[in-house]
Amino acid sequence: MTIQHTPAPARTASPTPTPPGEVPAFRRHGLTLTAGATAWAGAIAVLGFDGPELAQSVEHTGSGLFQVGLLALLRVLWRTRALGEGRLARAALRVETALVLLAMASTVGAATHLDDLDRLGWALLDVCWPLSMAGMFLLGIRTAVAGRWRGVSRWWPMVAESWAFVVIPTLALRGEEAGRAVAAAHLVVGYAVLGLVVARKRQ
């Protein structure tokens, strides 16, 4: 009788490869962000911010897709502990997620023309949109400071998440035409590229 012994796999063995056809989690999240940012950029470039009702609905729908991408990005920040391991980092991500979700409710109202900014509830939801964007910028700064993401992924969140701080002054100082051009370009260069960077992350 022959007895065969199969050696135990070494601890340094490579992890099981991703099955064919299955997309790694970070790739899904990153491509969701890229798709959302590109959709909103296209809507802004073609339709602007203040067009007829139908155009506004399409633009708001694009911004809603972008917000879905933000949730995907926040999920990756959480899973990779990009802001650090502490309670404050986790609390910041929870607060930002809540702000994005509330901003999404405002976006749905705007896209369907059901919102009424003269009512307190809708006005508060509307405020969550700029607050969420400001929060993303702060998370970008913290990601760079924490240094848990390396290379271009350490700095690109801060570049992408400066969107509101670049676009709003441009709209105020240079008007609608310049503002929409800068808004669309910044979304592509910032968030759409960030999505591709995130899609390549392994940990």
Side-chain angles (χ1 to χ4, degrees), residues 90-172:
R90 295 194 296 271
L93 287 170
R94 289 190 180 105
V95 169
E96 179 61 23
T97 300
L99 284 173
V100 172
L101 288 171
L102 291 171
M104 290 176 74
S106 173
T107 299
V108 170
T112 56
H113 303 288
L114 295 175
D115 60 337
D116 181 358
L117 297 183
D118 292 329
R119 300 176 62 180
L120 180 60
W122 283 111
L124 291 176
L125 285 177
D126 186 62
V127 170
C128 289
W129 205 173
L131 284 179
S132 69
M133 295 300 283
M136 291 303 302
F137 182 60
L138 294 177
L139 295 188
I141 294 174
R142 178 57 194 168
T143 299
V145 171
R148 296 178 66 88
W149 285 13
R150 302 299 177 88
V152 69
S153 67
R154 177 178 181 178
W155 305 103
W156 212 254
M158 188 167 57
V159 173
E161 289 153 11
S162 66
W163 186 88
F165 296 93
V166 172
V167 173
I168 292 175
T170 303
L171 282 168

Side-chain angles (χ1 to χ4, degrees), residues 163 166-167 170 177-187:
W163 186 88
V166 172
V167 173
T170 303
E177 186 173 348
R180 68 193 282 187
V182 170
H186 199 297
L187 280 169

